[in-house]
Amino acid sequence: TESTHGQRAMEATCSPIDQPVDTFGIVLGSVLATATFLLPLPQAVKLLRQRSSAGLSPYTLALTVLFAGSQVGATVGLKWRQLEACAQGPACVADLLDLVQQAASWLTWLATAIICVSLPPHRSALPRAANALSIVCTAALVAVSAAVSADAPCQPTALTLAQALGWVAAVAAATQYGPQLYETWRHGSAGSLSYATYTLQTVGSAAVVANNAFLNHDGWRSWLVGSGLLCGGAHSSLPTPASSDGPANPNPNPNPNP
């Protein structure tokens, strides 16, 4: 029947538990997980050193947390059987390196967002509410994905939820840098924005797009996620007409009486 066919199609998207991971895949996954964890650190360090979040958009960080947390929730649903296999020993770790990478991204960007809204000028109600909402919602979505998968792993409800979270992540990735572009233009300088973080983000996103397109031959939704990160990261790290070391000079002619 049509419903049976749909269920089989959805079940096919659930990751197999006996698929071996070669040494190269394990090394690459470990490197990516470590790099993903370290990626936001230059941004966090710059915020703490300058004791200011001026120039950094808290709404871009809220969308970044939403993107990363939605990815975690989707992967939990698609890899629940691998998570169950961990009860039998550590052999499952190789199959879960992508989940480790996504979780590392979620937690480190979450910490960066908290630092951002703890410093002026974004130490106000609206930025804090936006990031709190993003953190609470993603935590709830991951918990719901885990609960649904535990009750009926790889069944239509769990997989539909995983697909929905994948769409949330795709939309967040495609739009997350809009607020940062506006903030950089409005602020007139880089402010507390870390060029190191966003340059590394651009290079990493380019690698993800190449991997999805040419190695994994993934569908266009994966391209949308990677391309959104690539374009947004590249534009966010472009220098502005003003100096990158401070705010724009309100008087372009420093000598009013030449």
Side-chain angles (χ1 to χ4, degrees):
T1 64
E2 183 178 352
S3 61
T4 302
H5 176 74
Q7 181 174 345
R8 289 175 179 174
M10 296 183 70
E11 286 180 346
T13 65
C14 200
S15 301
I17 60 175
D18 296 325
Q19 184 175 357
V21 180
D22 58 22
T23 302
F24 175 76
I26 294 174
V27 172
L28 179 61
S30 301
V31 170
L32 288 175
T34 303
T36 301
F37 178 79
L38 296 176
L39 178 64
L41 291 186
Q43 181 62 79
V45 169
K46 189 169 185 178
L47 286 170
L48 293 172
R49 283 181 176 176
Q50 295 195 355
R51 297 183 181 277
S52 169
S53 56
L56 184 63
S57 171
Y59 306 108
T60 282
L61 291 177
L63 287 170
T64 301
V65 171
L66 178 62
F67 160 67
S70 297
Q71 276 198 315
V72 172
T75 304
V76 164
L78 296 177
K79 290 205 164 186
W80 188 258
R81 295 198 185 281
Q82 281 90 338
L83 289 168
E84 289 181 325
C86 288
Q88 302 176 2
C92 65
V93 173
D95 291 327
L96 295 172
L97 286 174
D98 53 346
L99 179 57
V100 172
Q101 177 189 356
Q102 293 162 3
S105 175
W106 181 33
L107 294 174
T108 49
W109 280 115
L110 185 154
T112 303
I114 292 175
I115 294 172
C116 176
V117 297
S118 299
L119 296 170
H122 299 308
R123 192 168 54 191
S124 55
L126 189 57
R128 286 186 170 184
N131 280 274
L133 181 64
S134 179
I135 292 170
V136 171
C137 284
T138 51
L141 290 172
V142 171
V144 169
S145 180
V148 171
S149 296
D151 180 63
C154 293
Q155 295 304 304
T157 300
L159 293 176
T160 298
L161 177 59
Q163 290 175 343
L165 290 175
W167 277 107
V168 172
V171 172
T175 60
Q176 70 184 107
Y177 290 109
Q180 182 58 60
L181 293 174
Y182 173 74
E183 181 72 14
T184 301
W185 172 81
R186 185 183 68 84
H187 192 69
S189 70
S192 296
L193 186 69
S194 170
Y195 281 129
T197 287
Y198 282 93
T199 298
L200 291 172
Q201 177 96 1
T202 302
V203 173
S205 298
V208 169
V209 171
N211 179 71
N212 290 345
F214 302 112
L215 296 180
N216 293 342
H217 303 287
D218 288 340
W220 67 269
R221 190 173 65 185
S222 295
W223 288 42
L224 176 64
V225 173
S227 299
L229 292 173
L230 175 59
C231 296
H235 283 88
S236 295
S237 60
L238 289 176
T240 61
S243 169
S244 62
D245 295 326
N249 186 353
N251 182 8
N253 184 4
N255 184 6
N257 299 307

